[in-house]
Amino acid sequence: MAVRGRGRRTAARAAGAYRRRLPARTRRYATVALLGGSLLLAGCASMPDSGGVHQVPLSEQREDPRARTYAERPEPGASPQRIVSDFLEALRSDDYATVAKAYLTKKARTWTPGETTVLAEAPRVSEQPTPGPKPVNGDRMTTAVVQLSGDKVAWLNDAGTYTPDERVYNLNIELSKEGKSGQWRIVDPPRGLVISRADFERTFQSASTYHFTARSRDTLVADPVYVRRRIDPVTDAVRTLLDGPGGLIGSVTETTFPERTTLARNQRLAVDEEGTLRVRLALETTPGLHTCERMAAQVLHTAESQEGVRVDNVELLTARDTKLCDLSATAGERYAPDRLARHPSSLYFIDAKNRLVRTSSGPDAGEAGPATVISPLGDGKPAIGSAAVARSEKKAAGVTATGRALYVSSLDESSALGEPLLTSGATEAQAERGDGLTAASWDGLGDLWVADRVGGESRLYWMAGGAADPVRIDVTGLEGRIEALRMSAEGARIALVVSEGSESRLVLGAVSVKDGVPVVAQLRDTGALEEVRAVSWAGESRLLVVGRESEGVQQMRLVSTDGSVPPAAELGQGLTGVTSVAAAEDGTKPLVAAVEDGIVRLPQNAYWKAVPGGEGGTAPVYPG
């Protein structure tokens, strides 16, 4: 319950007085920090009755998530350039929806901010020559043009989907002078925010909406989005969920919510004191109980993707408050995005004798060194060059050091190796030049994937259960040759390192099903580095990538599946010559890499250090 009356009015007066005392340029984007321990009362945000008001620089707002930003209305007599600059600042404020429209002409005030343009630096704002005849005989100019320019790096659509897009950015904005007031106002505003990368990270926060796909079955798949910080992120994320996915998995999802389902009006979603999130829906048809439960699971995990949000129970209701169903967090775990990722007990790699070995996956365990697996893949006959371990840790697939044969073997009993499950089409001479089979990868459904490279081409193969005959999989729109691949746990996404000429890039694909066979489509270039060497899944919508920029040094960084790069994502300081990497999808295990001297790992809050017994080792992997 919000605090009303004197406390709120006092704080409002203090904020207004504070802004008036500031210099004009500073107060235009004044930030009010709400101090004291009474920011939250009875589970609802409210104004405190006491505590000071002070300016918080924009650059510090990430450190104080309670800080609120308020825009100023247009300053009388402001120039066209100043009006546009202040309009852009108003769009970054927490009350942008109302204040920003004060900078527009009356006809333009039907405008609704949609997409966001992200520039490397703050946009340059410059007044341009106005086309047409110049005023004469003392007449004054009544129209003006202001240009925004900079280097574009990405954009968000109105659903919050991030897309890398590097190009030069120029946008002309027309203004007119209002007849009665004589003030400049914007005629044709940009479609939404035009913002620097640094301000983007302060203004938006990452979240995910969750959806079902044909391959993931009852396991939810994350679709990363960005929502505004502080304003109403949970409501925004759930509204985006109801609009449907707009990212990588957009073409392979299965509909759970009835068509044209929206949030009922006048809702600001928040978790109450008992941990319940109640959501009223405007529905054209009433879903059955099983469908409603799946809808609630999507809402539960979408809400919990918000930083600091914990939900114990989701309750779905009609617009008239009739209960449809509810779902506890415990019951929602059966749909959890990480349900198939599991928690690996071991780290695996190929030792100096070309044998598959295992060691504890813990940060401080395994000091005694690795042990060979109980499998023909641990005998060194044939010599193994790379391996993939099923998420159950009961099976492993090994590609020979020559790259010409793929074997699958049990890991819990000693057995004969048998015949290869797949033999490369590359000749021995071609394999020596870099052709042959890539390292294999298992999805969480128990299926095995590998690519075969011959000449300038590659073929992707799928083996159901890791035992069925290989089936060639169509990769719609692939340009280049597959050099490496990693499957996500739920089997609905695939990460591909694709080479074309001297360059290699990270490409993501969505996996659908046609006539019982997977199909890879919806390929997206992540824009992550120009010479990608290795990749591993490092979370439900995040990858660990090794590569380099053009003429740059090798880097190791985290990249989201939408192509965005989290702040401080560079992880490879001090490492050179990285040939492969491994990360656990549950995020609880150390990052691991193969370098010239062997296997190294990066425990949390520590430095890279050698894995005992990892000297001369290559191709580290966690199950997957």
Side-chain angles (χ1 to χ4, degrees), residues 438-511:
T438 65
S441 181
W442 298 83
D443 59 35
L445 305 174
D447 296 341
L448 185 63
W449 300 70
V450 72
D452 188 22
R453 302 161 295 177
V454 181
E457 299 181 351
S458 59
R459 295 179 176 182
L460 179 64
Y461 290 96
W462 165 73
M463 289 141 279
D469 290 339
V471 176
R472 184 178 176 182
I473 300 301
D474 182 41
V475 185
T476 305
L478 177 66
E479 295 181 0
R481 188 174 93 156
I482 299 172
E483 302 293 348
L485 64 93
R486 286 290 184 269
M487 289 299 303
S488 63
E490 82 293 321
R493 297 164 297 170
I494 184 171
L496 303 170
V497 177
V498 178
S499 67
E500 195 169 9
S502 60
E503 295 185 353
S504 55
R505 63 192 191 279
L506 176 61
V507 175
L508 299 178
V511 184

Coordinates of all heavy atoms in Angstrom, one line a residue, residues 438-511:
T438 N 33.8 -32.4 -37.5 CA 34.0 -31.5 -36.4 C 33.8 -32.2 -35.1 O 33.4 -33.4 -35.1 CB 32.9 -30.4 -36.4 OG1 31.6 -31.0 -36.2 CG2 32.9 -29.6 -37.7
A439 N 34.1 -31.6 -34.0 CA 33.7 -32.2 -32.7 C 32.2 -32.3 -32.6 O 31.4 -31.5 -33.2 CB 34.2 -31.3 -31.5
A440 N 31.7 -33.4 -32.0 CA 30.2 -33.6 -31.9 C 29.6 -32.8 -30.8 O 30.3 -32.3 -29.9 CB 30.0 -35.1 -31.8
S441 N 28.3 -32.8 -30.7 CA 27.6 -32.2 -29.6 C 26.3 -32.9 -29.3 O 25.6 -33.3 -30.3 CB 27.3 -30.7 -29.9 OG 26.7 -30.0 -28.9
W442 N 25.9 -33.0 -28.0 CA 24.7 -33.7 -27.6 C 23.7 -32.6 -27.2 O 24.0 -31.6 -26.5 CB 24.9 -34.6 -26.4 CG 25.8 -35.8 -26.7 CD1 27.1 -35.8 -26.6 CD2 25.4 -37.1 -26.9 NE1 27.6 -37.0 -26.8 CE2 26.6 -37.9 -27.0 CE3 24.1 -37.7 -27.1 CZ2 26.6 -39.2 -27.3 CZ3 24.1 -39.1 -27.4 CH2 25.3 -39.8 -27.5
D443 N 22.4 -32.7 -27.6 CA 21.4 -31.9 -27.0 C 20.8 -32.6 -25.7 O 21.2 -33.8 -25.5 CB 20.3 -31.5 -28.0 CG 19.6 -32.7 -28.6 OD1 19.4 -33.7 -27.8 OD2 19.2 -32.7 -29.7
G444 N 20.0 -31.9 -25.0 CA 19.4 -32.5 -23.8 C 18.4 -33.6 -24.0 O 17.9 -34.2 -23.0
L445 N 18.0 -33.8 -25.2 CA 17.0 -34.8 -25.6 C 17.7 -36.1 -25.9 O 17.0 -37.1 -26.2 CB 16.2 -34.4 -26.8 CG 15.5 -33.0 -26.7 CD1 14.8 -32.6 -28.0 CD2 14.5 -33.0 -25.6
G446 N 19.0 -36.1 -25.8 CA 19.8 -37.4 -26.0 C 20.2 -37.6 -27.4 O 20.7 -38.7 -27.8
D447 N 20.0 -36.6 -28.3 CA 20.4 -36.7 -29.7 C 21.8 -36.2 -30.0 O 22.2 -35.2 -29.3 CB 19.4 -36.0 -30.6 CG 18.0 -36.7 -30.5 OD1 17.9 -37.8 -30.1 OD2 17.0 -36.0 -30.9
L448 N 22.5 -36.7 -31.0 CA 23.9 -36.3 -31.3 C 23.9 -35.6 -32.6 O 23.3 -36.0 -33.5 CB 24.7 -37.6 -31.3 CG 26.2 -37.4 -31.5 CD1 26.8 -36.7 -30.3 CD2 26.9 -38.8 -31.6
W449 N 24.8 -34.6 -32.6 CA 25.0 -33.7 -33.8 C 26.4 -33.6 -34.2 O 27.3 -33.5 -33.3 CB 24.4 -32.4 -33.6 CG 22.9 -32.3 -33.3 CD1 22.4 -32.8 -32.1 CD2 21.9 -31.8 -34.1 NE1 21.0 -32.6 -32.1 CE2 20.7 -32.0 -33.3 CE3 21.8 -31.3 -35.3 CZ2 19.4 -31.6 -33.8 CZ3 20.6 -30.9 -35.8 CH2 19.4 -31.0 -35.1
V450 N 26.8 -33.6 -35.5 CA 28.1 -33.4 -35.9 C 28.1 -32.9 -37.4 O 27.1 -33.1 -38.1 CB 28.9 -34.7 -35.8 CG1 28.5 -35.7 -36.9 CG2 30.4 -34.5 -35.9
A451 N 29.1 -32.2 -37.8 CA 29.2 -31.8 -39.2 C 30.4 -32.4 -39.9 O 31.5 -32.7 -39.2 CB 29.3 -30.2 -39.3
D452 N 30.3 -32.7 -41.1 CA 31.4 -33.2 -41.9 C 31.9 -32.2 -43.0 O 31.0 -31.6 -43.7 CB 31.0 -34.5 -42.6 CG 32.1 -35.2 -43.3 OD1 33.3 -35.0 -42.9 OD2 31.9 -36.0 -44.2
R453 N 33.2 -31.9 -43.0 CA 33.7 -30.9 -43.9 C 34.5 -31.6 -45.0 O 35.5 -32.3 -44.7 CB 34.6 -29.9 -43.1 CG 33.9 -29.2 -42.0 CD 34.8 -28.7 -41.0 NE 35.5 -29.8 -40.3 CZ 36.5 -29.5 -39.4 NH1 36.8 -28.3 -39.0 NH2 37.1 -30.6 -38.8
V454 N 34.2 -31.3 -46.2 CA 34.9 -31.8 -47.4 C 35.1 -30.7 -48.4 O 34.1 -30.1 -48.9 CB 34.2 -33.0 -48.1 CG1 35.0 -33.5 -49.2 CG2 33.9 -34.1 -47.1
G455 N 36.3 -30.3 -48.7 CA 36.5 -29.1 -49.6 C 36.0 -27.9 -48.9 O 36.1 -27.6 -47.8
G456 N 35.3 -27.1 -49.7 CA 34.7 -25.9 -49.2 C 33.3 -26.0 -48.7 O 32.6 -25.0 -48.4
E457 N 32.8 -27.3 -48.6 CA 31.4 -27.5 -48.2 C 31.4 -28.3 -46.8 O 32.4 -28.9 -46.4 CB 30.7 -28.3 -49.2 CG 30.6 -27.6 -50.6 CD 29.8 -28.4 -51.6 OE1 29.5 -29.6 -51.3 OE2 29.5 -27.9 -52.7
S458 N 30.2 -28.3 -46.2 CA 30.0 -29.0 -45.0 C 28.6 -29.6 -45.0 O 27.7 -29.1 -45.6 CB 30.2 -28.2 -43.8 OG 29.3 -27.1 -43.8
R459 N 28.4 -30.7 -44.3 CA 27.1 -31.3 -44.1 C 26.8 -31.5 -42.6 O 27.7 -32.0 -41.9 CB 27.0 -32.6 -44.8 CG 27.2 -32.5 -46.4 CD 27.1 -33.9 -47.0 NE 27.1 -33.7 -48.5 CZ 27.0 -34.8 -49.3 NH1 26.9 -36.0 -48.8 NH2 27.1 -34.6 -50.6
L460 N 25.6 -31.2 -42.2 CA 25.3 -31.4 -40.8 C 24.5 -32.7 -40.6 O 23.6 -32.9 -41.4 CB 24.4 -30.2 -40.3 CG 23.9 -30.2 -38.9 CD1 25.0 -30.1 -37.9 CD2 22.9 -29.0 -38.6
Y461 N 24.8 -33.5 -39.6 CA 24.2 -34.8 -39.4 C 23.6 -34.8 -38.0 O 24.1 -34.3 -37.0 CB 25.2 -35.9 -39.6 CG 25.6 -36.1 -41.0 CD1 26.8 -35.6 -41.5 CD2 24.8 -36.9 -41.9 CE1 27.2 -35.7 -42.8 CE2 25.2 -37.1 -43.2 CZ 26.4 -36.5 -43.6 OH 26.8 -36.7 -44.9
W462 N 22.4 -35.5 -37.9 CA 21.7 -35.7 -36.6 C 21.5 -37.2 -36.4 O 21.2 -37.9 -37.4 CB 20.4 -35.0 -36.7 CG 19.4 -35.4 -35.7 CD1 19.4 -35.1 -34.4 CD2 18.2 -36.2 -35.9 NE1 18.2 -35.6 -33.7 CE2 17.5 -36.3 -34.7 CE3 17.6 -36.8 -37.0 CZ2 16.3 -37.0 -34.5 CZ3 16.4 -37.4 -36.9 CH2 15.7 -37.5 -35.7
M463 N 21.8 -37.7 -35.2 CA 21.7 -39.1 -34.9 C 20.8 -39.2 -33.7 O 21.2 -38.9 -32.5 CB 23.1 -39.7 -34.6 CG 23.9 -39.9 -35.9 SD 25.7 -39.5 -35.7 CE 25.7 -37.7 -35.7
A464 N 19.5 -39.7 -33.9 CA 18.6 -39.8 -32.8 C 19.1 -40.7 -31.7 O 19.5 -41.8 -32.0 CB 17.2 -40.2 -33.4
G465 N 19.0 -40.3 -30.5 CA 19.4 -41.1 -29.4 C 20.9 -41.4 -29.4 O 21.4 -42.2 -28.5
G466 N 21.7 -40.8 -30.2 CA 23.1 -41.1 -30.3 C 23.4 -42.5 -30.8 O 24.5 -43.0 -30.6
A467 N 22.4 -43.1 -31.5 CA 22.6 -44.5 -31.9 C 22.0 -44.7 -33.3 O 22.5 -45.6 -34.0 CB 21.9 -45.4 -30.9
A468 N 21.0 -43.9 -33.7 CA 20.4 -44.2 -35.0 C 21.3 -43.8 -36.2 O 22.3 -43.1 -36.0 CB 19.1 -43.4 -35.1
D469 N 21.0 -44.3 -37.3 CA 21.7 -43.9 -38.5 C 21.8 -42.4 -38.7 O 20.8 -41.7 -38.5 CB 21.1 -44.6 -39.8 CG 21.3 -46.1 -39.8 OD1 22.2 -46.6 -39.0 OD2 20.6 -46.8 -40.5
P470 N 22.9 -41.9 -39.1 CA 23.0 -40.4 -39.3 C 22.0 -39.9 -40.4 O 21.8 -40.6 -41.5 CB 24.4 -40.2 -39.8 CG 25.2 -41.4 -39.3 CD 24.2 -42.5 -39.4
V471 N 21.3 -38.8 -40.1 CA 20.4 -38.2 -41.1 C 21.0 -36.8 -41.4 O 21.3 -36.0 -40.5 CB 19.0 -38.1 -40.5 CG1 18.1 -37.3 -41.4 CG2 18.4 -39.4 -40.1
R472 N 21.1 -36.5 -42.7 CA 21.6 -35.2 -43.1 C 20.5 -34.2 -42.8 O 19.4 -34.4 -43.2 CB 22.0 -35.2 -44.5 CG 22.6 -33.9 -45.0 CD 23.1 -33.9 -46.4 NE 23.6 -32.5 -46.8 CZ 24.0 -32.2 -48.0 NH1 24.0 -33.2 -48.9 NH2 24.4 -31.0 -48.3
I473 N 20.9 -33.1 -42.2 CA 19.9 -32.0 -41.8 C 20.1 -30.8 -42.7 O 21.2 -30.3 -42.9 CB 20.2 -31.6 -40.3 CG1 20.0 -32.8 -39.4 CG2 19.2 -30.5 -39.9 CD1 18.6 -33.5 -39.5
D474 N 19.0 -30.3 -43.2 CA 19.0 -29.1 -44.0 C 19.2 -27.9 -43.2 O 18.6 -27.7 -42.1 CB 17.6 -29.0 -44.7 CG 17.6 -27.8 -45.6 OD1 18.6 -27.5 -46.3 OD2 16.5 -27.1 -45.7
V475 N 20.2 -27.1 -43.6 CA 20.5 -25.8 -42.9 C 20.1 -24.7 -43.9 O 20.9 -24.3 -44.8 CB 21.9 -25.7 -42.5 CG1 22.2 -24.4 -41.7 CG2 22.3 -26.9 -41.7
T476 N 18.9 -24.2 -43.8 CA 18.4 -23.2 -44.7 C 19.1 -21.9 -44.6 O 19.3 -21.3 -43.6 CB 16.9 -22.9 -44.5 OG1 16.2 -24.2 -44.5 CG2 16.3 -22.0 -45.5
G477 N 19.7 -21.4 -45.8 CA 20.3 -20.1 -45.8 C 21.8 -20.1 -45.4 O 22.3 -19.0 -45.3
L478 N 22.4 -21.3 -45.2 CA 23.8 -21.3 -44.8 C 24.7 -20.8 -45.9 O 24.7 -21.4 -47.0 CB 24.2 -22.7 -44.3 CG 25.6 -22.9 -43.9 CD1 25.9 -22.1 -42.6 CD2 25.9 -24.3 -43.6
E479 N 25.6 -19.9 -45.6 CA 26.6 -19.4 -46.5 C 27.9 -19.6 -45.8 O 28.3 -19.0 -44.9 CB 26.4 -17.9 -46.9 CG 25.1 -17.7 -47.6 CD 24.9 -16.2 -48.0 OE1 25.8 -15.4 -47.7 OE2 23.9 -15.9 -48.6
G480 N 28.7 -20.5 -46.4 CA 30.0 -20.9 -45.8 C 30.1 -22.3 -45.3 O 29.1 -23.1 -45.5
R481 N 31.1 -22.6 -44.6 CA 31.4 -24.0 -44.1 C 31.3 -24.1 -42.6 O 31.9 -23.2 -41.9 CB 32.7 -24.5 -44.6 CG 33.0 -26.0 -44.4 CD 34.3 -26.4 -45.0 NE 35.4 -26.3 -44.1 CZ 36.5 -27.0 -44.2 NH1 36.6 -27.9 -45.2 NH2 37.5 -26.9 -43.4
I482 N 30.6 -25.1 -42.1 CA 30.6 -25.3 -40.6 C 31.9 -25.8 -40.1 O 32.4 -26.8 -40.6 CB 29.4 -26.2 -40.2 CG1 28.1 -25.7 -40.7 CG2 29.4 -26.5 -38.7 CD1 27.0 -26.7 -40.5
E483 N 32.5 -25.1 -39.2 CA 33.8 -25.5 -38.6 C 33.6 -26.0 -37.2 O 34.5 -26.8 -36.7 CB 34.8 -24.3 -38.6 CG 35.0 -23.7 -39.9 CD 35.8 -24.6 -40.9 OE1 36.3 -25.7 -40.4 OE2 35.9 -24.3 -42.1
A484 N 32.6 -25.7 -36.5 CA 32.3 -26.1 -35.1 C 30.8 -25.9 -34.8 O 30.2 -25.1 -35.5 CB 33.2 -25.4 -34.1
L485 N 30.3 -26.7 -33.9 CA 28.9 -26.6 -33.5 C 28.7 -26.9 -32.1 O 29.4 -27.7 -31.5 CB 28.0 -27.4 -34.4 CG 28.2 -28.9 -34.4 CD1 27.2 -29.5 -33.4 CD2 28.0 -29.6 -35.7
R486 N 27.7 -26.3 -31.5 CA 27.3 -26.6 -30.1 C 25.7 -26.5 -30.1 O 25.1 -25.5 -30.4 CB 27.9 -25.7 -29.1 CG 29.3 -25.9 -28.8 CD 29.6 -27.2 -28.1 NE 31.0 -27.4 -27.8 CZ 31.9 -28.0 -28.5 NH1 31.5 -28.5 -29.7 NH2 33.1 -28.2 -28.1
M487 N 25.1 -27.6 -29.5 CA 23.7 -27.6 -29.4 C 23.3 -27.1 -28.0 O 23.9 -27.4 -27.0 CB 23.1 -29.1 -29.5 CG 23.2 -29.6 -30.9 SD 22.2 -28.6 -32.1 CE 20.6 -28.7 -31.4
S488 N 22.1 -26.4 -27.9 CA 21.6 -26.0 -26.6 C 21.0 -27.2 -26.0 O 20.6 -28.2 -26.6 CB 20.6 -24.9 -26.8 OG 19.5 -25.3 -27.6
A489 N 20.7 -27.0 -24.7 CA 20.2 -28.2 -23.9 C 18.8 -28.6 -24.4 O 18.6 -29.8 -24.5 CB 20.1 -27.8 -22.4
E490 N 17.9 -27.6 -24.7 CA 16.6 -28.0 -25.1 C 16.5 -28.4 -26.5 O 15.4 -28.9 -27.0 CB 15.6 -26.9 -24.8 CG 15.5 -25.8 -25.8 CD 16.8 -25.0 -25.9 OE1 17.4 -24.7 -24.9 OE2 17.2 -24.6 -27.1
G491 N 17.6 -28.3 -27.3 CA 17.6 -28.8 -28.7 C 16.9 -27.9 -29.7 O 16.7 -28.3 -30.8
A492 N 16.5 -26.7 -29.3 CA 15.8 -25.8 -30.2 C 16.7 -24.8 -30.8 O 16.3 -24.0 -31.7 CB 14.7 -25.1 -29.5
R493 N 18.0 -24.7 -30.4 CA 18.9 -23.7 -30.9 C 20.3 -24.4 -31.2 O 20.7 -25.3 -30.4 CB 19.1 -22.6 -30.0 CG 17.8 -21.8 -29.8 CD 17.9 -20.9 -28.6 NE 18.1 -21.6 -27.3 CZ 18.4 -21.1 -26.2 NH1 18.6 -19.8 -26.0 NH2 18.5 -21.9 -25.1
I494 N 21.0 -23.9 -32.2 CA 22.3 -24.5 -32.5 C 23.3 -23.3 -32.8 O 22.9 -22.3 -33.4 CB 22.3 -25.4 -33.7 CG1 23.6 -26.1 -34.0 CG2 21.7 -24.7 -35.0 CD1 23.6 -27.2 -35.0
A495 N 24.4 -23.4 -32.2 CA 25.5 -22.4 -32.4 C 26.5 -23.0 -33.4 O 27.0 -24.1 -33.2 CB 26.2 -22.0 -31.1
L496 N 26.8 -22.2 -34.5 CA 27.7 -22.7 -35.5 C 28.8 -21.7 -35.7 O 28.6 -20.5 -35.8 CB 26.9 -22.8 -36.9 CG 25.7 -23.7 -36.9 CD1 24.9 -23.5 -38.2 CD2 26.1 -25.2 -36.7
V497 N 30.0 -22.2 -35.8 CA 31.1 -21.4 -36.3 C 31.2 -21.7 -37.8 O 31.5 -22.8 -38.2 CB 32.4 -21.7 -35.5 CG1 33.6 -20.9 -36.1 CG2 32.3 -21.5 -34.1
V498 N 31.0 -20.6 -38.6 CA 31.0 -20.7 -40.0 C 32.1 -20.0 -40.7 O 32.3 -18.8 -40.3 CB 29.6 -20.2 -40.6 CG1 29.6 -20.3 -42.1 CG2 28.5 -21.0 -39.9
S499 N 32.9 -20.6 -41.5 CA 34.0 -19.9 -42.2 C 33.6 -19.6 -43.6 O 32.8 -20.4 -44.3 CB 35.2 -20.8 -42.2 OG 35.0 -22.0 -43.0
E500 N 34.1 -18.5 -44.1 CA 33.9 -18.1 -45.5 C 35.1 -17.3 -45.9 O 35.4 -16.2 -45.4 CB 32.6 -17.3 -45.6 CG 32.1 -17.1 -47.0 CD 30.8 -16.5 -47.1 OE1 30.2 -16.0 -46.1 OE2 30.2 -16.5 -48.2
G501 N 35.9 -17.9 -46.8 CA 37.2 -17.3 -47.1 C 38.1 -17.4 -45.9 O 38.3 -18.4 -45.2
S502 N 38.7 -16.2 -45.5 CA 39.7 -16.2 -44.4 C 39.0 -15.8 -43.1 O 39.6 -15.8 -42.1 CB 40.8 -15.2 -44.7 OG 40.2 -13.9 -44.9
E503 N 37.7 -15.5 -43.1 CA 36.9 -15.1 -42.0 C 36.1 -16.2 -41.4 O 35.6 -17.1 -42.2 CB 36.1 -13.9 -42.3 CG 36.9 -12.6 -42.6 CD 36.0 -11.4 -42.8 OE1 34.7 -11.6 -42.7 OE2 36.5 -10.3 -42.9
S504 N 35.8 -16.2 -40.1 CA 34.9 -17.1 -39.5 C 34.0 -16.4 -38.5 O 34.5 -15.5 -37.9 CB 35.6 -18.3 -38.8 OG 36.6 -17.7 -37.8
R505 N 32.8 -16.7 -38.4 CA 31.8 -16.0 -37.6 C 30.9 -16.9 -36.9 O 30.8 -18.1 -37.2 CB 31.0 -15.0 -38.5 CG 30.1 -15.8 -39.5 CD 29.5 -14.8 -40.6 NE 28.5 -15.5 -41.4 CZ 28.7 -16.2 -42.4 NH1 30.0 -16.5 -42.8 NH2 27.7 -16.8 -43.1
L506 N 30.3 -16.4 -35.8 CA 29.3 -17.1 -35.0 C 27.9 -16.9 -35.5 O 27.4 -15.8 -35.6 CB 29.4 -16.7 -33.5 CG 28.4 -17.4 -32.6 CD1 28.6 -18.9 -32.6 CD2 28.6 -16.8 -31.2
V507 N 27.3 -18.0 -35.9 CA 25.9 -18.0 -36.5 C 25.0 -18.8 -35.6 O 25.4 -19.9 -35.2 CB 25.9 -18.5 -37.9 CG1 24.5 -18.6 -38.4 CG2 26.7 -17.6 -38.8
L508 N 23.8 -18.4 -35.3 CA 22.9 -19.1 -34.5 C 21.7 -19.5 -35.4 O 21.3 -18.8 -36.3 CB 22.4 -18.3 -33.3 CG 23.4 -17.9 -32.3 CD1 22.8 -17.1 -31.2 CD2 24.1 -19.1 -31.7
G509 N 21.2 -20.7 -35.1 CA 20.0 -21.2 -35.9 C 19.0 -21.7 -35.0 O 19.3 -22.2 -33.9
A510 N 17.7 -21.7 -35.4 CA 16.6 -22.2 -34.7 C 16.3 -23.6 -35.3 O 16.3 -23.8 -36.5 CB 15.4 -21.3 -34.8
V511 N 15.9 -24.5 -34.4 CA 15.7 -25.9 -34.9 C 14.2 -26.2 -34.8 O 13.6 -26.2 -33.7 CB 16.5 -26.9 -34.1 CG1 16.3 -28.3 -34.6 CG2 18.0 -26.6 -34.0

